[in-house]
Amino acid sequence: MAFGVKRQEVTDWKDAVSRGEIAFLTHYWLDDRFPGCKTVTKAGCADLPKLEKWGRQYGLRPEWIDHKERYPHFDLFGDREYEILKKEGREDLISRFRLTGTQKA
């Protein structure tokens, strides 16, 4: 279940993904398969070669891409989510969702 994200943020993310940009959408998330993880970040881009290249720099494998609808994306959570957002300069998301890098995936 997702919560803590506004409809306009989802629309903006979808628009950016569709334009071929690497775009991030973070929201609160509960999934019993991932105890201790309270958020997920969707890192998306409709340009698949660009998304694959971007993901490789962080050790993400192309087969991990979620090809849901027209918005292919990696789901990032736990320590990897924090580390990637930090390297991408997304302090806004780290601060807003109080990410610490101590979540276990």
Side-chain angles (χ1 to χ4, degrees):
M1 178 189 333
F3 50 99
V5 66
K6 296 176 181 157
R7 180 171 294 160
Q8 187 60 51
E9 292 171 301
V10 175
T11 300
D12 292 346
W13 179 80
K14 287 180 175 182
D15 290 346
V17 169
S18 296
R19 288 192 302 269
E21 299 173 21
I22 301 291
F24 300 95
L25 178 69
T26 301
H27 58 78
Y28 289 109
W29 173 70
L30 295 175
D31 189 318
D32 291 338
R33 296 172 298 167
F34 304 98
C37 293
K38 64 179 183 172
T39 61
V40 63
T41 295
K42 296 182 178 305
C45 181
D47 181 338
L48 281 177
K50 182 176 181 178
L51 182 60
E52 290 174 7
K53 181 179 178 184
W54 176 86
R56 276 193 293 278
Q57 72 180 317
Y58 296 113
L60 304 175
R61 298 166 55 176
E63 58 265 28
W64 296 345
I65 294 173
D66 185 341
H67 294 275
K68 196 170 274 182
E69 300 174 6
R70 297 182 327 251
Y71 309 103
H73 63 276
F74 288 103
D75 287 320
L76 310 174
F77 45 89
D79 290 342
R80 181 171 279 165
E81 176 187 24
Y82 175 82
E83 291 166 10
I84 291 173
L85 289 174
K86 186 85 167 159
K87 288 178 181 174
E88 290 287 329
R90 296 305 308 262
E91 297 292 337
D92 58 322
L93 296 174
I94 291 169
S95 175
R96 176 178 170 193
F97 292 95
R98 297 184 178 116
L99 303 178
T100 62
T102 59
Q103 299 180 79
K104 300 298 178 212

